Amino acid sequence: RSVSAHAARASAPAAKLESFYSHFPPAKKLPDELARVYGFADQQGLQLQQGEYRLVHEPDARLSRYQVTLPVRGSYTQVRQFVAAVMNEMPAVSLDDLKFEKKQIEDATLEAQVRMTLFLLAKE
């Protein structure tokens, strides 16, 4: 129980940390991850307007943040189901903000702004 038991206990946190990081896609997969987001919007029949994109990387950090703001047009249900699909199917994405605006009361279409962050492995 001497050296090998001590080494096993010391490596357990490192192994857990590596396991944690293994759940994030590598930065080179960003186009694929964005395609998945757009695919969920398409499945709901949402109209995506031109979005804003911003990559944030801290020096020496293992994760980068890709912040996406998407203006979308559709029904409340479509927007809600789009956000739910992204959150359920993409665990490396966080929902940062969701705003709704309705231009005309009699129109079922509303404009929403969805702000999310995709977390990516900065280094492989």
Side-chain angles (χ1 to χ4, degrees):
R1 203 189 205 219
S2 57
V3 175
S4 63
H6 178 68
R9 281 194 311 272
S11 69
K16 288 179 183 178
L17 188 58
E18 287 308 311
S19 174
F20 169 77
Y21 282 117
S22 74
H23 294 286
F24 294 93
K28 69 182 181 183
K29 295 285 188 180
L30 177 60
D32 297 334
E33 296 299 299
L34 287 174
R36 288 182 69 196
V37 171
Y38 301 147
F40 291 127
D42 193 48
Q43 287 174 4
Q44 295 305 319
L46 287 173
Q47 299 172 6
L48 292 178
Q49 311 298 316
Q50 184 172 348
E52 294 177 29
Y53 305 88
R54 183 173 158 229
L55 180 63
V56 179
H57 179 69
E58 317 281 324
D60 299 322
R62 289 193 59 185
L63 294 177
S64 291
R65 298 185 318 260
Y66 195 71
Q67 298 171 330
V68 179
T69 302
L70 295 173
V72 297
R73 289 179 45 84
S75 71
Y76 173 79
T77 301
Q78 288 172 307
V79 174
R80 197 180 87 210
Q81 290 176 342
F82 160 64
V83 169
V86 171
M87 294 296 98
N88 288 331
E89 300 298 324
M90 301 179 73
V93 175
S94 69
L95 178 64
D96 302 329
D97 193 26
L98 180 58
K99 295 178 183 173
F100 292 97
E101 184 177 330
K102 194 164 193 167
K103 298 287 184 184
Q104 299 175 355
I105 293 180
E106 60 276 352
D107 188 4
T109 301
L110 51 82
E111 294 189 20
Q113 187 176 66
V114 181
R115 196 173 81 219
M116 60 183 73
T117 300
L118 287 78
F119 293 90
L120 305 161
L121 282 176
K123 301 172 187 165
E124 297 178 53

